[in-house]
Amino acid sequence: MEGVLRKALSGRYPVVLMYLSEKGLISKRVVSVEKFDDQWVHGYCHLRKAYRRFQVKNILAVLPASSERSSSRNAEKL
């Protein structure tokens, strides 16, 4: 996960986060990462159209947004 976040930060491209909220709900967020450490990921959430922070312990998965889009396109072709 750290490697994907580091590449997104240096390359300035968004990532897709699968996130478990404090209420126990899972959401998929597209986030432009501004900074991160071992506890928090800070960035612009494209779903909420606002800057948010996400607890690392609640992030279930991270992938580059571009690979998520290409996966969706491939699924549409099936």
Side-chain angles (χ1 to χ4, degrees), residues 15 20-21 27-28 30 34 38 41 50 56 61 74:
V15 294
L20 179 64
S21 75
S27 66
K28 182 166 96 174
V30 176
E34 296 290 324
D38 56 336
V41 173
V56 169
N74 291 337

Side-chain angles (χ1 to χ4, degrees), residues 41-54:
V41 173
H42 300 258
Y44 183 80
C45 175
H46 295 267
L47 176 67
R48 301 291 183 221
K49 298 187 182 344
Y51 284 91
R52 298 289 170 108
R53 65 183 190 163
F54 302 89

Side-chain angles (χ1 to χ4, degrees), residues 3-43:
V4 174
L5 292 172
R6 190 177 314 283
K7 286 180 184 177
L9 185 59
S10 66
R12 307 297 296 165
Y13 62 80
V15 294
V16 176
L17 299 181
M18 296 302 292
Y19 189 74
L20 179 64
S21 75
E22 293 295 324
K23 295 178 183 176
L25 302 173
I26 296 174
S27 66
K28 182 166 96 174
R29 305 289 185 97
V30 176
V31 177
S32 295
V33 179
E34 296 290 324
K35 65 180 181 175
F36 71 94
D37 57 35
D38 56 336
Q39 293 184 7
W40 296 97
V41 173
H42 300 258

Side-chain angles (χ1 to χ4, degrees), residues 60-73:
L60 305 174
V62 179
L63 65 149
S66 60
S67 71
E68 200 274 338
R69 278 187 236 124
S70 63
S71 296
S72 296
R73 286 188 208 120

